[in-house]
Amino acid sequence: MPTPSMEDYIEQIYILIEEKGYARVSDIAEALSVHPSSVTKMVQKLDKDEYLVYEKYRGLVLTPKGRKIGQRLVYRHELLEQFLRLIGVSEENIYRDVEGIEHHLSWNAIDRIGDLVQYFQEDERRLEALRDVQRRNEQGE
């Protein structure tokens, strides 16, 4: 199982490959706000652990294992953003909050959050009932 730091790299590499068709060390470093030397070290570790194949000066590709995990990590991130928006978290807090919690939740918890998002999306009245509770709580009732 990848560490939280490894997850951040795999997720970003997956996103870059999906968006641009490739991921270079410099692109990863810029996206994660780290030094290219740090990216190179992590990419070598991810290569050793068979999440990707890295050839110096040639680039990298995710292995099927790396692609599967990258896809799941992006899903987790997007689901948590969706959940926080759904429950009314301020937009300016969402990214930071997701980054703060995503590595601390089990996949079981992620699946249950997915169920909850689905529950609210299936019937608009449920979401309105939640909004009513929030309004009452904000008014101190």
Side-chain angles (χ1 to χ4, degrees):
M1 205 60 194
T3 65
S5 180
M6 292 167 76
E7 285 183 348
D8 287 339
Y9 279 85
I10 294 169
E11 181 181 4
Q12 193 57 57
I13 291 166
Y14 179 86
I15 290 168
L16 285 166
I17 290 172
E18 287 295 303
E19 289 176 353
K20 298 170 76 170
Y22 60 90
R24 296 181 314 211
V25 167
S26 59
D27 297 326
I28 300 164
E30 182 180 335
L32 295 175
S33 300
V34 296
H35 293 286
S37 60
S38 299
V39 174
T40 300
K41 286 178 191 169
M42 180 58 81
V43 164
Q44 290 168 341
K45 179 166 180 35
L46 293 171
D47 181 50
K48 179 178 163 280
D49 291 348
E50 300 179 348
Y51 292 106
L52 56 80
V53 176
Y54 173 65
E55 294 180 34
K56 196 171 184 179
Y57 305 116
R58 301 215 46 201
L60 55 94
V61 287
L62 289 169
T63 62
K65 172 182 167 182
R67 275 193 63 71
K68 182 178 179 182
I69 290 175
Q71 189 174 25
R72 185 118 164 110
L73 295 171
V74 168
Y75 164 78
R76 176 182 71 186
H77 190 100
E78 290 173 351
L79 176 66
L80 290 172
E81 283 186 357
Q82 188 179 11
F83 173 68
L84 293 179
R85 275 189 194 95
L86 188 75
I87 63 171
V89 173
S90 299
E91 196 63 37
E92 66 266 12
N93 296 328
I94 289 177
Y95 181 81
R96 188 181 67 249
D97 288 349
V98 169
E99 287 297 311
I101 64 174
E102 66 184 338
H103 299 296
H104 300 285
L105 295 173
S106 67
W107 286 106
N108 179 251
I110 295 297
D111 290 340
R112 299 301 64 84
I113 289 170
D115 295 342
L116 191 58
V117 167
Q118 181 181 346
Y119 173 80
F120 281 112
Q121 289 176 334
E122 285 178 349
D123 187 339
E124 187 68 28
R125 291 173 297 182
R126 295 170 182 160
L127 193 53
E128 282 306 313
L130 174 62
R131 298 284 181 252
D132 287 343
V133 168
Q134 290 171 332
R135 278 190 288 275
R136 284 194 313 266
N137 287 339
E138 286 174 3
Q139 293 170 357
E141 293 179 14

